[in-house]
């Protein structure tokens, strides 16, 4: 699958559970209201219903049955050629003398082959996480052969593993916290307050609610929450598709201006390229414009201006779990507290995220003590539902890129770009355009490896622009981000509809954001805002 589909497995699991709950509720509507509103009876009925799956059970069996029923065999010749190519590369890697003399070529070929396997995942029927891990190990084997000594390669790998593990632990903690809040239906506190049905007003409200929600959650979770809300507010129509497209643009824009809003900004933050207050101050206005410009243009279209029908709720709302408000407050507070923890203690951000997870773990154990029917609301069950495949994909990609950095390949690429594209703003902008097709995680990881902090110091214009472009560039195509891929599956949107109807608006917002950022820097429009030294607890964060 193309760009940013690493989280799609999690969405598929959620969709299976959602369908099971809808079936159970449609049956439960025939029962007395007391039974419908009783959480325990609802869970017992759902567990006993044949052919459905409650949150306590695994969806692997249902997923495999659905896969077998719908799977169409791909071209075997393509698979055979891929396996033969991989085998050939493995045989070449065993030839120590050739690898030692041609390390750069060998690593470039393995990386290109592995990344092709990731891009064409569905055609080859190979899981991208497995391909990423295999690619990472192969690249480090080649590096150990081509390095001056094995001890040097081991030292490089140890250093790279320490940096990569910080990101993986951070993501695992964040995903678990979000999963716990979602299991308690905590996000209903946000979505239930959207009451307007005016088409143009709803367009702007949905956009900015998603924008701020995505600044503290990942863009995939924000998209799933908001698209599910749209199904309750608007009947199937071209207008609802437009609203879903707005969610995609807003989710990507909202994640780019905070250090915890997107994986790429988190990577830059952990590695020291950006700091909390400076990235917020520099990118908030450009990110707002990257959303506001598409919203303004969409408001003029016939789908929104005149043809859309105001409608009442279509579906009934789910019941919030007991103490859901408390869990929502603690979970969101834990996410927001991470930058403060880093500034106060000086410890890496993943320690603050693990602290928040520990607090939430103890809290849920305490408030659900003795309630065996609510095990799904506790952390152990949430750990079984988070996107572990996505975390392993990150691990494989980041280790692969670190091997290229250790071998000096990324530095050579940076020197080439500097010689032929001397303007760093153009390089950063190009990263955003490419991220519409290729996943932004390896692109940003490559940029980190190509340019160290001596080339571009922390909070330099280059790193801030990379953060903006990599985060928002994926909105230009529906396959360019995890949010777009999830929206495409949930609303059955095809690539060409999004390209014809939305891509132009998204590009206009992307360009407007870049222009706004460059104007801020060139005309010093933000010099009157507080500096880091003037803000308590955030200096050096």
């Amino acid at each position: 699958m193309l760009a940013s589909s690493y989280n799609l497995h999690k969405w598929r699991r959620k969709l299976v559970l959602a369908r099971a709950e809808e079936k159970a509720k449609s049956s439960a509507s025939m029962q007395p209201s007391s039974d419908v509103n009783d959480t325990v009876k609802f869970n017992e009925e759902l567990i006993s219903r044949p052919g459905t799956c409650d949150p306590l059970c695994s969806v692997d069996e249902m997923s495999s049955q659905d896969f077998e029923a719908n799977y169409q065999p791909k071209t075997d010749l393509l698979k055979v050629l891929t396996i033969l190519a991989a085998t050939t590369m493995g045989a070449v890697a065993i030839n120590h003398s050739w690898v030692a003399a041609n390390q750069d070529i060998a690593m470039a070929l393995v990386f290109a082959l592995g990344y092709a396997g990731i891009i064409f995942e569905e055609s080859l029927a190979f899981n991208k996480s497995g391909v990423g891990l295999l690619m990472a190990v192969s690249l480090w084997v080649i590096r150990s052969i081509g390095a001056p000594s094995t001890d040097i390669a081991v030292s490089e790998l140890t250093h790279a593993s320490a940096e990569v593990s910080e990101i993986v632990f951070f993501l695992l903690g964040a995903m678990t916290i979000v999963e716990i809040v979602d299991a308690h239906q905590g996000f209903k506190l946000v979505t239930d307050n959207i009451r307007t049905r005016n088409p143009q007003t709803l367009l702007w409200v949905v956009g900015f609610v998603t924008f701020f929600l995505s600044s503290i959650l990942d863009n995939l979770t924000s998209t799933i929450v908001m698209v599910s809300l749209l199904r309750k507010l608007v009947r199937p129509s071209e207008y609802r598709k437009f609203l879903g497209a707005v969610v995609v643009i807003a989710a990507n824009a909202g994640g780019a201006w905070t250090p915890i809003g997107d994986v790429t900004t988190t990577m830059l933050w952990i590695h020291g390229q950006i700091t909390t207050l400076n990235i917020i101050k520099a990118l908030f206005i450009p990110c707002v414009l990257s959303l506001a410009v598409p919203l303004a243009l969409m408001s003029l279209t016939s789908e929104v201006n005149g043809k859309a029908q105001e409608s009442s709720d279509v579906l009934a709302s789910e019941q919030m779990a007991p103490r859901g408000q408390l869990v929502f407050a603690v979970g969101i507070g834990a996410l927001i507290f991470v930058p403060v923890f880093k500034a106060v203690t000086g410890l890496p951000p993943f320690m603050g995220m693990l602290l928040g997870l520990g607090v939430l773990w103890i809290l849920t154990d305490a408030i659900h003590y003795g309630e065996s029917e609510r095990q799904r609301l506790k952390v152990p069950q949430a750990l079984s539902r988070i996107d572990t495949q996505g975390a392993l994909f990150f691990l494989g990609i980041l280790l692969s890129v670190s091997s290229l950095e250790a071998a000096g390949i990324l530095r050579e690429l940076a020197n080439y770009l500097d010689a032929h594209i001397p303007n760093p703003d153009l390089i950063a902008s190009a990263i955003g355009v490419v991220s519409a097709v290729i996943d932004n995680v390896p692109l940003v990881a490559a940029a980190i490896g190509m340019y160290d902090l001596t080339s571009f110091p922390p909070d330099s214009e280059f790193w801030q622009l990379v953060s903006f472009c990599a985060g928002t560039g994926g909105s230009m195509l529906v396959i360019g981000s995890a949010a777009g891929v999830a929206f495409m599956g949930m609303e059955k949107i095809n690539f060409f509809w999004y390209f014809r109807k939305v891509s132009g608006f998204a590009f206009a917002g992307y360009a407007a954001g870049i222009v706004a950022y460059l104007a801020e820097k060139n005309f010093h429009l933000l010099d009157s805002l507080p500096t880091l030294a003037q803000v308590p607890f955030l200096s050096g964060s």
Side-chain angles (χ1 to χ4, degrees):
M1 181 177 294
L2 294 176
S4 298
S5 60
Y6 44 81
N7 280 326
L8 189 56
H9 175 72
K10 176 182 176 182
W11 167 75
R12 286 172 175 164
R13 291 169 64 90
K14 286 179 177 287
L15 184 59
V16 171
L17 294 176
R19 288 175 176 172
E21 291 178 0
E22 288 179 5
K23 289 181 180 179
K25 287 184 178 181
S26 64
S27 175
S29 63
M30 303 295 294
Q31 304 296 328
S33 59
S34 59
D35 291 339
V36 176
N37 295 327
D38 189 277
T39 306
V40 177
K41 291 184 178 181
F42 170 74
N43 287 334
E44 291 176 349
E45 180 183 355
L46 188 58
I47 293 173
S48 62
R49 184 172 299 280
T52 63
C53 181
D54 79 306
L56 293 176
C57 71
S58 172
V59 299
D60 291 340
E61 182 177 355
M62 293 183 63
S63 300
S64 61
Q65 293 173 353
D66 181 69
F67 176 80
E68 292 175 0
N70 297 284
Y71 175 69
Q72 298 296 328
K74 307 295 183 183
T75 305
D76 291 337
L77 178 62
L78 184 60
K79 298 179 183 179
V80 171
L81 292 176
T82 303
I83 295 175
L84 287 176
T87 304
T88 302
M89 293 301 301
V92 171
I94 296 175
N95 189 332
H96 287 223
S97 60
W98 187 90
V99 168
N102 301 277
Q103 175 188 249
D104 291 357
I105 297 177
M107 295 184 76
L109 288 175
V110 170
F111 185 81
L113 183 63
Y115 204 78
I118 292 171
I119 292 176
F120 298 105
E121 177 198 18
E122 287 200 347
S123 298
L124 301 174
F126 296 146
N127 188 284
K128 71 180 71 63
S129 299
V131 175
L133 293 175
L134 182 61
M135 176 176 64
V137 174
S138 300
L139 286 171
W140 276 106
V141 168
I142 296 175
R143 175 56 185 160
S144 69
I145 296 172
S149 68
T150 303
D151 291 340
I152 292 178
V154 171
S155 177
E156 293 171 343
L157 177 59
T158 301
H159 177 72
S161 299
E163 292 184 347
V164 171
S165 63
E166 288 188 21
I167 299 175
V168 173
F169 287 142
F170 184 95
L171 293 175
L172 288 175
M175 288 190 293
T176 306
I177 291 175
V178 171
E179 188 64 44
I180 286 291
V181 175
D182 189 42
H184 285 78
Q185 295 292 332
F187 298 116
K188 282 171 55 60
L189 293 173
V190 177
T191 58
D192 282 358
N193 287 304
I194 301 179
R195 306 184 184 279
T196 180
R197 297 298 181 270
N198 179 272
Q200 290 186 339
T201 304
L202 184 61
L203 190 77
W204 286 83
V205 170
V206 167
F208 277 97
V209 168
T210 307
F211 179 84
F212 287 104
L213 191 64
S214 182
S215 66
I216 54 176
L217 306 178
D218 65 276
N219 56 2
L220 178 67
T221 300
S222 303
T223 301
I224 293 173
V225 170
M226 296 306 297
V227 172
S228 299
L229 166 71
L230 295 180
R231 292 178 171 179
K232 300 176 177 64
L233 297 179
V234 182
R235 298 183 184 278
S237 62
E238 194 77 359
Y239 172 60
R240 194 169 87 177
K241 293 180 181 179
F242 261 68
L243 288 175
V246 166
V247 167
V248 173
I249 296 173
N252 291 330
W257 62 279
T258 66
I260 61 174
D262 189 82
V263 175
T264 53
T265 53
T266 299
M267 290 166 54
L268 292 168
W269 181 47
I270 289 176
H271 283 87
Q273 278 79 13
I274 60 175
T275 57
T276 303
L277 184 61
N278 280 329
I279 196 66
I280 293 175
K281 185 172 69 172
L283 294 188
F284 179 74
I285 293 177
C287 287
V288 168
L289 283 177
S290 71
L291 171 62
V293 169
L295 287 177
L297 295 175
M298 287 181 173
S299 298
L300 303 176
T301 61
S302 59
E303 289 82 0
V304 176
N305 188 15
K307 289 187 177 181
Q309 298 292 327
E310 296 187 8
S311 60
S312 57
D313 288 358
V314 177
L315 299 176
S317 182
E318 298 89 350
Q319 290 291 323
M320 180 178 289
R323 276 83 73 182
Q325 294 183 2
L326 174 62
V327 173
F328 173 81
V330 174
I332 298 302
L335 295 174
I336 298 175
F337 180 71
V338 172
V340 179
F341 176 88
K342 180 180 183 296
V344 172
T345 65
L347 294 175
F350 80 92
M351 294 296 291
M353 189 62 73
L354 294 181
L355 171 64
L357 176 59
V359 170
L360 195 61
W361 196 323
I362 298 300
L363 174 66
T364 53
D365 281 349
I367 62 178
H368 298 303
Y369 177 76
E371 300 173 348
S372 58
E373 71 279 0
R374 294 186 179 132
Q375 292 299 315
R376 69 181 182 86
L377 302 178
K378 297 183 178 181
V379 173
Q381 289 295 330
L383 289 171
S384 68
R385 297 193 299 268
I386 66 173
D387 184 22
T388 309
Q389 286 191 51
L392 291 176
F393 174 73
F394 287 131
L395 178 63
I397 285 291
L398 295 176
L399 282 177
S400 298
V401 173
S402 66
S403 70
L404 301 179
E405 179 184 359
I409 296 176
L410 295 182
R411 170 51 57 186
E412 294 176 5
L413 180 58
N415 293 335
Y416 176 84
L417 291 176
D418 290 340
H420 293 79
I421 310 177
N423 189 339
D425 295 340
L426 291 178
I427 297 176
S429 301
I431 289 175
V433 174
V434 175
S435 70
V437 181
I438 299 177
D439 182 23
N440 58 2
V441 172
L443 289 175
V444 173
I448 294 173
M450 289 164 57
Y451 303 100
D452 54 29
L453 294 178
T454 58
S455 301
F456 297 104
D459 291 318
S460 64
E461 182 177 313
F462 175 76
W463 293 122
Q464 292 178 349
L465 198 55
V466 165
S467 180
F468 172 80
C469 293
T472 60
S475 300
M476 289 185 283
L477 294 178
V478 72
I479 60 172
S481 65
V485 173
F487 166 60
M488 183 169 57
M490 295 177 74
E491 290 293 289
K492 302 298 184 288
I493 302 300
N494 62 62
F495 175 89
F496 295 102
W497 180 90
Y498 190 95
F499 182 77
R500 287 185 290 105
K501 299 282 190 176
V502 181
S503 292
F505 300 138
F507 176 76
Y510 176 75
I514 293 177
V515 171
Y517 175 80
L518 295 178
E520 287 177 2
K521 291 300 180 181
N522 293 332
F523 296 101
H524 307 288
L525 301 179
L526 299 179
D527 288 350
S528 60
L529 294 182
T531 62
L532 285 174
Q534 296 172 316
V535 180
F537 305 114
L538 287 178
S539 57
S541 63

